C-alpha cells in the first residue's frame, strides 16, 4: 500500500473512495497503524475547548518590546514541560544584557535585521535565520533594519543539530554561522544584566560590559545561526515519505524540521499520537493550501486528526518549518486573542470560526523595572 497515494487537494481519494488514515507513534519514526475509512475523518463541524487546531498571523500579536525597549518578548504558547513560544517586535537596542538560565532560545527572524552581541561574539540575522542562543549565554540585540518581527522558541532541554548524515541536509561548513568576536564599543561601561529564571527576573548591575571579549581560545561558540533556505528537505522518491528533523533535544521531546516545498505526494490523514504539530509559513510565493500569508502560524494538537495540503508546490517556492512538541501546547491569553479555529484539510480558517478583533489586547509587559 502506498501511504502517499492519497491524492487530490480537497479531500481523500475522490468521491466515495475510502480514505487512508495513519496513526503513528514517536512522530514519524515509531509504530504505525493504517486503516481505510469511508469518511474524511479529519473533518469537524465545531470544536469547543482548548485542544483544537488553530492558526494565527504572528503580526497580530503585539509584543511590548516593540514600544518599550525595557520590556521583553511576549509568550503566546506554553507547554506543560516549559517549552514556550514568544513574539518579539524589538525596534530599539536592548538597554540591558539578558541571560536565560532555564532554556535554550531559538530566534526565528520573520522581518527586519538584528545584531546579536553575545558572550561569544557578534552575529547579525536576517529573515529566514534561526539563531540559537543556548541556556546561560548572555546577549543583547540591536535592530539594524526595522520593523523587526521574531518568533522565539524557548526549550528547557538543549537543542542540537540531529541530521541523518553529516552531509547533504545541512552543509555545516558553509551554512552554519558562528559569531565573531569584535572589540566592545565601551568595555568599561556599567551594564544592567537581567537573569531570567523560572520564578522571574533578577537584575544585576555590573561594573563593566559582561559581553566584552578578547578572543575565543577553546572549543567553539555554542551560538549559531542557520537560514531555513539552507536546510534541504528530504524526500523518498517517488512518494515523498515523512520529513526528517534537522535539530532535536536529547529526549526527542522537541523536533525541528524544514517543511519547505519538496517532491512529495500529499500526506495521508494523520493522527500524531505523541506530538503537537506547529507549522510556520515563512515565505512563498506558493501557498500551503489555504496558508499564503508569510508569518502564519498553525497548530494541530496531538491526537487530533488532520490531513494538510501538499508540500509539492515546486522546489524553492515555499518555505516553512515544523516544530513537534511532545509536551502539549496551550495558548496564553495573548495567543488566544490572535488565534482562529482552523480546519485540518487545507489549513484554512474553520467555517465556524468567528473572526477575532484585529488588535488583540496585549498581556501586561514583563519589564525589567527600569
Ligand atoms: Fe501530521
Amino acid at each position: 500500500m502506498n501511504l502517499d497515494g492519497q491524492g487530490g487537494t480537497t479531500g481523500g481519494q475522490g468521491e466515495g473512495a475510502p480514505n487512508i488514515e495513519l496513526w503513528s507513534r514517536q512522530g514519524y519514526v515509531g509504530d504505525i497503524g493504517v486503516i481505510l475509512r469511508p469518511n474524511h475523518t479529519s473533518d469537524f463541524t465545531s470544536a469547543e475547548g482548548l485542544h483544537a487546531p488553530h492558526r494565527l498571523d504572528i503580526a497580530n500579536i503585539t509584543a511590548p518590546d516593540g514600544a518599550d525597549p525595557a520590556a521583553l518578548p511576549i509568550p503566546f504558547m506554553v507547554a506543560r514541560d516549559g517549552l514556550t513560544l514568544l513574539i518579539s517586535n524589538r525596534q530599539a537596542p536592548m538597554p540591558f544584557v539578558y541571560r536565560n538560565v532555564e532554556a535554550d532560545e531559538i530566534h526565528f527572524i520573520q522581518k527586519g535585521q538584528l545584531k546579536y552581541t553575545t558572550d561569544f561574539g557578534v552575529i547579525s540575522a536576517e529573515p529566514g535565520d534561526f539563531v540559537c542562543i543556548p541556556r546561560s549565554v548572555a546577549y543583547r540585540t540591536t535592530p539594524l533594519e526595522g520593523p523587526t518581527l521574531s518568533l522565539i522558541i524557548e526549550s528547557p532541554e538543549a537543542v542540537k543539530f540531529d541530521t541523518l548524515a553529516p552531509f547533504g541536509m545541512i552543509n555545516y561548513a558553509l551554512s552554519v554561522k558562528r559569531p565573531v568576536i569584535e572589540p566592545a564599543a565601551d568595555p568599561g561601561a556599567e551594564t544592567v544584566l537581567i537573569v531570567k529564571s523560572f520564578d522571574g527576573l533578577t537584575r544585576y548591575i555590573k561594573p563593566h560590559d559582561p559581553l566584552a571579549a578578547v578572543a575565543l581560545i577553546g572549543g567553539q561558540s555554542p551560538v549559531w545561526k542557520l537560514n531555513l533556505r539552507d536546510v534541504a528537505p528530504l524526500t523518498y522518491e517517488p512518494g515523498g515519505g515523512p520529513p526528517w528533523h534537522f535539530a532535536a533535544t536529547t529526549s526527542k521531546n522537541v523536533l525541528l524540521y524544514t517543511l519547505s516545498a519538496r517532491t512529495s505526494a500529499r500526506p495521508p490523514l494523520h493522527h500524531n499520537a505523541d506530538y503537537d504539530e506547529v507549522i510556520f509559513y515563512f515565505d512563498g510565493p506558493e501557498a500551503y493550501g489555504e496558508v499564503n500569508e508569510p508569518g502564519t502560524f498553525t497548530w494541530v494538537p496531538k491526537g487530533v486528526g488532520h490531513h494538510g495540503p501538499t508540500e509539492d508546490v515546486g522546489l524553492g517556492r515555499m518555505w516553512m518549518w515544523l516544530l513537534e512538541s511532545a509536551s502539549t501546547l496551550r495558548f496564553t491569553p495573548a495567543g488566544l486573542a490572535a488565534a482562529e479555529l482552523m480546519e485540518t484539510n487545507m489549513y484554512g480558517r474553520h467555517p465556524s470560526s468567528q473572526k477575532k478583533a484585529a488588535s488583540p489586547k496585549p498581556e501586561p509587559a514583563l519589564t525589567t523595572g527600569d
Side-chain angles (χ1 to χ4, degrees):
M1 179 185 296
N2 176 10
L3 292 184
D4 299 306
Q6 199 149 304
T9 55
T10 58
Q13 293 174 307
E15 202 63 37
N19 292 274
I20 298 170
E21 183 182 284
L22 169 69
W23 173 94
S24 71
R25 298 307 303 260
Q26 298 167 266
Y28 305 105
V29 299
D31 294 340
I32 63 167
V34 185
I35 193 161
L36 288 179
R37 299 197 190 277
N39 299 312
H40 192 252
T41 52
S42 70
D43 297 346
F44 61 96
T45 306
S46 66
E48 295 178 16
L50 300 176
H51 204 75
H54 280 75
R55 53 177 277 171
L56 60 85
D57 180 346
I58 64 167
N60 285 337
I61 297 175
T62 303
D65 62 358
D68 178 5
L72 293 173
I74 189 167
F76 74 98
M77 284 205 101
V78 292
R80 297 175 74 193
D81 67 355
L83 179 77
T84 305
L85 307 179
L86 310 95
I87 298 297
S88 175
N89 289 141
R90 193 161 289 285
Q91 308 303 334
M94 287 165 62
F96 52 85
V97 170
Y98 181 77
R99 190 189 302 271
N100 187 335
V101 300
E102 302 286 6
D104 282 21
E105 293 187 1
I106 295 180
H107 295 222
F108 182 77
I109 315 301
Q110 179 64 29
K111 289 182 183 170
Q113 292 187 3
L114 289 152
K115 180 174 78 172
Y116 288 76
T117 303
T118 78
D119 272 335
F120 291 90
V122 178
I123 194 163
S124 61
E126 59 188 35
D129 279 341
F130 296 96
V131 179
C132 178
I133 302 172
R135 178 195 289 242
S136 296
V137 172
Y139 67 94
R140 176 199 295 125
T141 59
T142 305
L144 298 176
E145 186 181 311
T148 74
L149 176 59
S150 306
L151 192 161
I152 301 169
I153 302 166
E154 285 186 356
S155 171
E157 193 181 354
V159 178
K160 295 185 176 178
F161 288 120
D162 187 32
T163 49
L164 273 175
F167 303 102
M169 197 172 178
I170 295 174
N171 185 329
Y172 288 100
L174 281 180
S175 301
V176 177
K177 308 283 199 321
R178 308 273 174 177
V180 174
I181 291 175
E182 296 178 358
D186 186 1
E190 185 177 274
T191 303
V192 174
L193 169 67
I194 302 296
V195 175
K196 182 186 181 185
S197 55
F198 77 97
D199 50 357
L201 305 176
T202 302
R203 188 173 188 270
Y204 291 82
I205 305 293
K206 307 284 281 184
H208 40 63
D209 182 355
L211 300 179
V214 177
L216 179 71
I217 59 167
Q220 72 173 352
S221 164
V223 176
W224 54 259
K225 80 164 182 177
L226 170 68
N227 197 277
L228 175 64
R229 297 179 197 271
D230 292 328
V231 184
L234 289 191
T235 198
Y236 298 79
E237 296 287 1
W244 186 264
H245 58 267
F246 68 89
T249 57
T250 303
S251 68
K252 302 285 196 283
N253 281 353
V254 174
L255 302 171
L256 198 54
Y257 303 73
T258 179
L259 206 65
S260 300
R262 62 178 184 143
T263 305
S264 170
R266 191 182 183 196
L269 290 158
H270 182 207
H271 283 84
N272 192 334
D274 297 310
Y275 287 97
D276 286 33
E277 294 183 12
V278 163
I279 293 176
F280 184 78
Y281 180 86
F282 164 60
D283 200 9
E286 299 297 331
Y288 178 59
E290 293 292 320
V291 177
N292 59 11
E293 188 64 35
T296 301
F297 174 99
T298 73
W299 166 61
V300 176
K302 61 173 60 65
V304 173
H306 54 281
H307 198 165
T310 181
E311 297 140 35
D312 195 354
V313 297
L315 287 177
R317 297 187 63 78
M318 179 180 73
W319 303 96
M320 304 196 299
W321 49 264
L322 163 68
L323 171 72
E324 289 198 316
S325 170
S327 188
T328 303
L329 286 157
R330 287 291 182 259
F331 284 114
T332 65
L336 202 55
E340 294 177 278
L341 196 64
M342 181 179 78
E343 53 84 12
T344 54
N345 184 22
M346 301 300 283
Y347 283 25
R349 291 173 179 84
H350 193 274
S352 73
S353 175
Q354 300 288 320
K355 183 74 183 79
K356 301 272 176 53
S359 302
K361 192 170 76 175
E363 287 189 320
L366 279 173
T367 65
T368 62
D370 279 343

